Amino acid sequence: MDLQFFGSILTSTTPILFAALGALVCFRSGFFNIAIEGQMLVAAFAAAAVAVTTGNAALSVLAGVLASTALGVLVTVATYWARIDAIVVGVAANLMAAGVTALMVREITGGSSSLVIEAGRLPRVDAAAAADWGPLAGLVRGQTPLVPAALVSIVVVWWILNRTRTGLGIRALGESELAVWSSGMSIPGIRAATTLICGVLCGLSGAQLALGPATSFSVGMTNGRGFTAMIAAMIGAGVVATALGCVLFGLVDAVGLRIQLADTGMPQAAVQAIPYVLALIVLCTASALRLRGTDRVRRAVLRH
Amino acid sequence: MRAREAGLRILGLCLGLLISSLVMVLTGNDLAGFVAAFVDGLGPNLDSTLRWYAPLLLAGLAGLIAFRDGALNLGLDGQVYVGGAASAVVALWWGASLPPALTVVAACVAAVVAGALVAGAAAAMRILFGTPEVITTLVMNPLCALAVTLLVTGPLAPEGGGGNTESSEVIPADLWLPPLMPGSLSTIAVGIALITALLVAVYYRYTVWGFESTVFGSAPEFAFAVGIPNRRVFVRAMLTSGGLAGLVGAAEVLGVQHRLAKSFNPGIGFDGIAVALVGGLTVFGAVAVALLFALLRQAGEICQITLGIPAELVDVIVAIVLLTTSAHVVIRWRRRGRGSPGPGTGATTSPQNATASAEPIEIARQGSAERSH
């Protein structure tokens, strides 16, 4: 249990945390956005592609944010303007994201399934700079600037949701669309804000995935991480619960990495399965706790 | 009204294909070549069209049952994996000790059971803990894929593979699903799929269970109020759709690939959902749309080799078509005018009620209290 282990928890928590906060904002506005996964994937690809072509890390992150927001806008428009069921839109968006990114990677690389980034990686705290941190050196070594940004974004999202007018609108919209409508707030405006926040957060998440420790984009690299993030956002209604859930998933990721490196003879696939199993357990526990509060009759009505 | 709906759907379909062609032209791919390959799918390449038709139609029926019954099973993909794995396990472990015909049947049954079990697990979580099945089934997809990897690298690995194998041993030839014609890629799975389609149509049209499913799918609270056992209908829908998805896996493994490969499933589950939704959740629609998607898939396969167009292009086309056909609602909505913000449409129908902190339930509480399920 050295500090480096905590450092790797931070590293693996970061992408999940960004995505989970984005999902949380969507859920609080009453929008069950399952396109989070697709948004992360698109962002990761865009960040990687721009990094490969320009070699500029800042531009790459921006590209990731833009791509994710663009998909978010498409999803929101399809859901609320074209009135397609949110689940259908989400399935289509995830399919499209997987298809488009795979297609483009093959076009760029000429048939390969991964895009390796040489220049344009995110700057990282190297060993010399980490030494300045004294006892915390193990914790900060190898971290990208997006790691502290993720921690800051917890506070920012909390502040937006609980201390701003837009946040009030978002929360109110999740409770009752009719109430927001009759209060005179602009529903499209709130939806736009939600889309924007979620798009930016998912974009940062994707950028961290592609430009962070992996420094490459491979087809389907999110591999269900978006769904794990959604589960973290579904644990409770608040930012704190979400963040704690993300840390839990990050912890499991880091432990899994340790197990793989330690060569315990455990099959790799079994180790990789742990986060998903844990996610299911956590979600079931959370919803079981919530269910305890509802009375028996309501529980008997299986509704959607 | 039905005709109008179907017309709008076809219009959306054409629009989707048009946008897809535009995308192809813009990305600099050979559209004419793709269209030629698409048309060839009905002539010289009918065999490989049928090869894709069977899994797509079966998965489409699974998606149809799930979505029509209001059981949002997005885990078809994972259930395909598990079904394939189960059939491979039966074929490789007990294939030698049982008569071949019996083994094939047993493998298919095992696949159905395995798929149903995975879907059933999600259903159980929903019933017991109120966990929305949308997200649990989605998370189970990577889990099921990992289970296949585990099998392939461990118990089913061929001799001397060294723990880093990509696929299991080849299944003995007498356990393969019989091909339609000697040497063809398509198997009797096509027949199975068509018979299943007929059965599903009869189920919805003429049986009490089918009627209950339809009612529950369109209005769960109404269904409860008139005494339809909601939970039973829901579990039934999950189990059937999971089972059908499992059968898809068996058809892939025993019929086409003849071995269990790590990622043998190129997203047939999600294609199936798309087939069901594009087909308007009708059996006839699914039968027709599955043919369209099968043509696209085989064209994609051929063009990848001949023209160098990545096969993932088909995924993009499927997604675009899915969006444009569902968006036929736009026209209806705009015609009705837009007075109220209309809560209860679009995104507000489904599972976020289970996720949001407050559950605005306004069920008729009187009367339903006596009914205990």
Side-chain angles (χ1 to χ4, degrees):
Chain A
M1 278 299 172
D2 48 330
L3 271 173
Q4 206 163 358
F5 178 67
F6 285 102
S8 77
I9 294 178
L10 267 184
T11 312
S12 46
T13 306
T14 304
I16 305 179
L17 184 57
F18 274 130
L21 289 172
L24 180 72
V25 174
C26 282
F27 292 170
R28 289 309 292 272
S29 81
F31 177 26
F32 192 71
N33 182 6
I34 60 170
I36 299 281
E37 171 93 359
Q39 283 182 274
M40 277 169 77
L41 194 59
V42 169
F45 167 74
V50 171
V52 165
T53 45
T54 66
N56 185 328
L59 267 183
S60 323
V61 174
L62 185 69
V65 167
L66 285 180
S68 151
T69 312
L71 188 62
V73 168
L74 176 73
V75 168
T76 312
V77 166
T79 311
Y80 291 104
W81 182 79
R83 302 264 156 171
I84 312 174
D85 188 274
I87 303 294
V88 177
V89 177
V91 169
N94 286 338
L95 264 181
M96 197 183 285
V100 167
T101 50
L103 191 69
M104 306 265 272
V105 167
R106 295 211 199 285
E107 299 252 322
I108 292 176
T109 59
S112 161
S113 66
S114 67
L115 197 61
V116 181
I117 303 160
E118 304 289 347
R121 301 173 176 183
L122 284 172
R124 289 203 242 175
V125 182
D126 54 19
D132 295 344
W133 286 71
L136 290 178
L139 191 65
V140 298
R141 210 176 116 203
Q143 308 289 18
T144 63
L146 286 179
V147 174
L151 300 177
V152 171
S153 70
I154 300 177
V155 182
V156 172
V157 169
W158 178 86
W159 183 76
I160 291 177
L161 276 180
N162 296 304
R163 289 288 180 274
T164 66
R165 212 180 143 69
T166 317
L168 180 67
I170 291 173
R171 284 181 293 137
L173 199 53
E175 302 282 331
S176 161
E177 195 171 333
L178 204 59
V180 178
W181 185 67
S182 45
S183 80
M185 280 182 102
S186 156
I187 292 180
I190 297 170
R191 297 231 188 271
T194 313
T195 311
L196 192 68
I197 298 169
C198 176
V200 170
L201 287 168
C202 290
L204 293 176
S205 158
Q208 165 75 7
L209 269 185
L211 309 176
T215 60
S216 70
F217 175 85
S218 47
V219 170
M221 85 180 298
T222 45
N223 195 18
R225 233 171 282 204
F227 303 132
T228 330
M230 282 171 62
I231 286 184
M234 287 162 80
I235 292 175
V239 176
V240 179
T242 304
L244 286 179
C246 292
V247 172
L248 183 62
F249 292 137
L251 175 76
V252 173
D253 260 357
V255 171
L257 217 60
R258 273 281 158 113
I259 296 177
Q260 280 179 20
L261 288 178
D263 197 22
T264 49
M266 227 171 133
Q268 205 184 346
V271 178
Q272 285 168 349
I274 299 173
Y276 302 111
V277 176
L278 181 82
L280 286 177
I281 294 171
V282 166
L283 186 63
C284 284
T285 317
S287 45
L289 287 177
R290 195 174 304 156
L291 197 66
R292 243 181 15 175
T294 53
D295 65 74
R296 274 190 47 241
V297 180
R298 286 176 192 217
R299 246 186 283 174
V301 193
L302 201 63
R303 60 199 306 288
H304 288 285
Chain B
M1 190 57 208
R2 298 280 311 164
R4 188 160 168 264
E5 174 117 344
L8 286 175
R9 228 159 238 293
I10 291 171
L11 198 71
L13 194 67
C14 295
L15 185 69
L17 292 177
L18 198 72
I19 296 175
S20 309
S21 345
L22 212 65
V23 169
M24 279 187 76
V25 171
L26 285 179
T27 50
N29 283 308
D30 185 358
L31 179 62
F34 190 84
V35 171
F38 182 85
V39 175
D40 274 355
L42 285 173
N45 295 328
L46 187 64
D47 182 39
S48 59
T49 308
L50 288 179
R51 174 254 176 274
W52 283 110
Y53 186 62
L56 284 175
L57 178 55
L58 273 177
L61 292 169
L64 181 143
I65 291 173
F67 274 74
R68 195 159 163 165
D69 297 10
L72 299 173
N73 181 2
L74 298 183
L76 294 179
D77 226 35
Q79 287 141 22
V80 171
Y81 268 118
V82 171
S87 67
V89 166
V90 170
L92 286 174
W93 285 356
W94 291 291
S97 50
L98 290 173
L102 193 64
T103 316
V104 173
V105 173
C108 290
V109 170
V112 170
V113 170
L117 274 180
V118 172
M125 288 182 205
R126 174 73 195 271
I127 301 279
L128 295 177
F129 312 121
T131 324
E133 74 280 7
V134 183
I135 187 77
T136 50
T137 48
L138 273 176
V139 173
M140 282 178 187
N141 283 337
L143 261 181
C144 295
L146 283 173
V148 171
T149 310
L150 201 60
L151 269 179
V152 168
T153 49
L156 286 185
E159 307 267 325
N164 206 9
T165 39
E166 286 296 319
S167 68
S168 72
E169 277 176 87
V170 177
I171 294 168
D174 55 348
L175 300 180
W176 296 357
L177 286 184
L180 280 182
M181 275 167 296
S184 71
L185 275 173
S186 49
T187 60
I188 55 159
V190 181
I192 297 176
L194 286 172
I195 292 170
T196 314
L198 194 68
L199 289 178
V200 172
V202 169
Y203 173 78
Y204 279 116
R205 189 82 179 79
Y206 296 108
T207 67
V208 176
W209 279 17
F211 178 68
E212 285 181 352
S213 296
T214 311
V215 175
F216 173 70
S218 38
E221 282 158 47
F222 173 77
F224 182 78
V226 296
I228 290 175
N230 278 9
R231 288 157 178 245
R232 231 180 295 160
V233 176
F234 175 78
V235 173
R236 216 151 61 200
M238 287 295 275
L239 291 181
T240 355
S241 69
L244 275 182
L247 193 58
V248 175
E252 277 293 295
V253 169
L254 298 179
V256 183
Q257 310 194 351
H258 308 311
R259 60 170 71 82
L260 184 69
K262 241 181 204 174
S263 46
F264 72 87
N265 170 17
I268 298 174
F270 282 108
D271 277 359
I273 293 173
V275 166
L277 290 170
V278 173
L281 299 183
T282 59
V283 176
F284 179 75
V287 169
V289 174
L291 181 64
L292 173 75
F293 282 12
L295 284 170
L296 284 173
R297 277 269 164 237
Q298 64 85 25
E301 246 183 353
I302 290 171
C303 290
Q304 184 162 28
I305 302 164
T306 57
L307 300 174
I309 300 175
E312 282 87 2
L313 182 75
V314 179
D315 293 333
V316 182
I317 298 179
V318 167
I320 293 175
V321 168
L322 178 53
L323 278 181
T324 52
T325 42
S326 312
H328 73 287
V329 190
V330 176
I331 306 162
R332 212 188 320 164
W333 172 65
R334 307 217 98 194
R335 285 201 143 202
R336 278 207 193 132
R338 36 193 143 158
S340 72
T345 41
T348 31
T349 45
S350 298
Q352 89 276 28
N353 275 334
T355 69
S357 50
E359 282 191 71
I361 300 184
E362 294 118 24
I363 52 162
R365 287 219 274 157
Q366 316 89 307
S368 50
E370 285 89 53
R371 231 169 265 144
S372 59
H373 290 274

